[in-house]
Amino acid sequence: MAQTPQQRRANLKFAKDQEARMGKSEDQIKKRVKEAPKSPISPIWFILLGFVVFGGLLFEVMSRIFL
């Protein structure tokens, strides 16, 4: 069964990572820290969503109190 281009890229990436590890001790390998995963939503959209939700809640509470 032939490899798909996606599988081929993944295999090349894995082979490159393994080759970079060759000849290094476990301590040297553990020092290499991978980046933390990024949030799928940007901070601007998160703030906007919070403003809409909490702003709507605030207006709803105010309308129930004063009317």
Side-chain angles (χ1 to χ4, degrees):
M1 191 161 131
Q3 288 183 341
T4 64
Q6 184 180 8
Q7 287 174 328
R8 188 172 291 118
R9 281 192 301 270
N11 286 338
L12 289 173
K13 182 181 176 187
F14 179 77
K16 184 179 178 183
D17 185 49
Q18 291 300 313
E19 187 176 325
R21 291 172 168 238
M22 287 184 185
K24 295 182 180 174
S25 68
E26 288 294 321
D27 292 335
Q28 290 173 327
I29 293 172
K30 287 182 182 177
K31 285 182 183 176
R32 192 173 104 190
V33 178
K34 294 190 176 189
E35 295 179 14
K38 294 178 77 176
S39 175
I41 185 171
S42 70
I44 294 170
W45 286 109
F46 188 69
I47 291 169
L48 183 65
L49 181 65
F51 175 76
V52 168
V53 170
F54 291 112
L57 181 66
L58 180 67
F59 285 126
E60 184 67 27
V61 169
M62 287 175 50
S63 70
R64 289 183 187 253
I65 290 174
F66 294 115
L67 291 179

